[in-house]
């Protein structure tokens, strides 16, 4: 069934009116309609760091805690690293090695069994065991600026008795490494952004393969 000329004209007119009804808002930037909340997040984040609204150390500390386990636990009355603890610390050391611009702190803790002074010393020994492990993995001790023990004063689980969750160390990002310690988007934080930008934009090249034909054109 063919449409009449009048029907075709009506259809064309309605399409034209629909097209004309769209006009970009003069108070919004071009392309705003494709931004559903995350399109410009990277730019906003970096702008916040440059202005001081966002602290670069806090951003990287949150990222460290999100990407690798930051806590290991210890046997009772011991600073010995268990196989499970070594596995976690290896992950931490790998992350730390990727960011030579950063400094890290290791905090030691103990449960409530024993005197406060003894647990203070035990927490320090546990933190030192972690630092020694990192050094063995090639992390410079100069990047581990604070070796702190809280003893039994900051339990993860309030308990007067033996509690594995309280016999722990926690590794955190504490700042930037080096003499310059600015708060804006300086060369050290910019280097991290640029390095990861380049790595993220690199497409792995497929492995070359030798292709042979089924028929040898030189064969007789």
């Amino acid at each position: 069934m063919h449409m009449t000329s009048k029907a075709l004209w009506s259809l064309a007119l309605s399409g034209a009116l629909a097209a004309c009804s769209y006009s970009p808002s003069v108070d919004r930037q071009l392309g705003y309609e494709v931004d559903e909340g995350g399109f410009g997040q990277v730019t906003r984040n970096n702008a916040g760091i440059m202005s001081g609204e966002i602290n670069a150390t806090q951003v990287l500390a949150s990222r460290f805690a999100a990407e690798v386990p930051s806590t290991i636990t210890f046997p009772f009355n011991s600073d010995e690293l268990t196989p499970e603890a070594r596995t976690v610390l290896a992950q931490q050391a790998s992350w730390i090695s990727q960011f030579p611009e950063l400094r890290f702190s290791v905090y030691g803790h103990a449960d409530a069994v024993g005197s406060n002074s003894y647990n203070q010393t035990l927490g320090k020994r546990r933190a030192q065991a972690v630092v020694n492990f990192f050094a063995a993995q090639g992390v410079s001790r100069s990047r581990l600026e604070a070796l702190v023990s809280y003893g039994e004063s900051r339990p993860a689980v309030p308990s007067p008795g033996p509690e594995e969750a309280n016999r722990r160390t926690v590794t955190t990002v504490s700042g930037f490494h080096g003499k310059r310690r600015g708060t804006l988007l300086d060369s050290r934080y910019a280097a991290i952004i640029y390095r990861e930008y380049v790595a993220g934009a690199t497409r792995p090249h497929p492995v070359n393969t030798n292709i042979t034909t089924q028929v040898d054109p030189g064969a007789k």
Side-chain angles (χ1 to χ4, degrees):
M1 180 177 180
H2 298 285
M3 298 181 65
T4 64
S5 298
K6 183 177 181 180
L8 288 171
W9 172 251
S10 176
L11 180 62
L13 180 60
S14 64
L17 289 173
C20 292
S21 65
Y22 170 79
S23 60
S25 175
V26 295
D27 61 348
R28 298 192 184 187
Q29 63 186 21
L30 291 176
Y32 76 90
E33 64 274 7
V34 301
D35 186 356
E36 297 180 350
F39 184 74
Q41 185 58 43
V42 174
T43 299
R44 287 191 293 272
N45 181 69
N46 291 336
I49 292 172
M50 292 179 68
S51 67
E53 182 180 352
I54 300 175
N55 185 286
T57 300
Q58 293 175 349
V59 171
L60 292 167
S62 297
R63 176 174 172 183
F64 174 77
E67 294 184 0
V68 297
S70 59
T71 301
I72 62 168
T73 59
F74 292 80
F76 178 73
N77 192 29
S78 172
D79 59 3
E80 181 181 353
L81 298 176
T82 65
E84 294 79 10
R86 290 178 177 274
T87 298
V88 171
L89 291 178
Q91 296 177 47
Q92 292 184 15
S94 177
W95 200 98
I96 291 171
S97 297
Q98 296 177 50
F99 297 89
E101 303 88 353
L102 300 179
R103 294 178 288 118
F104 293 80
S105 296
V106 180
Y107 298 93
H109 300 262
D111 59 27
V113 179
S115 68
N116 182 61
S117 60
Y118 179 82
N119 287 330
Q120 194 77 18
T121 301
L122 181 57
K124 184 71 172 289
R125 284 164 41 202
R126 287 168 173 165
Q128 187 62 59
V130 172
V131 170
N132 292 342
F133 181 91
F134 287 156
Q137 297 292 309
V139 178
S140 172
R141 290 178 183 268
S142 65
R143 297 178 56 204
L144 305 168
E145 71 162 357
L147 189 62
V148 180
S149 174
Y150 287 121
E152 62 186 64
S153 64
R154 299 190 179 185
V157 178
S159 172
E163 175 55 59
E164 182 181 4
N166 294 334
R167 304 191 298 264
R168 70 196 192 280
T169 60
V170 181
T171 307
T172 64
V173 176
S174 56
F176 285 98
H177 179 58
K179 294 182 179 180
R180 290 184 60 224
R181 298 181 181 178
T183 58
L184 301 183
L185 183 61
D186 58 17
S187 59
R188 291 158 301 161
Y189 188 73
I192 293 174
I193 296 174
Y194 180 73
R195 183 173 65 243
E196 296 199 328
Y197 169 78
V198 172
T202 302
R203 183 175 62 183
H205 193 279
V207 179
N208 291 328
T209 57
N210 295 324
I211 301 176
T212 57
T213 58
Q214 295 180 346
V215 179
D216 183 358
K220 296 182 180 180

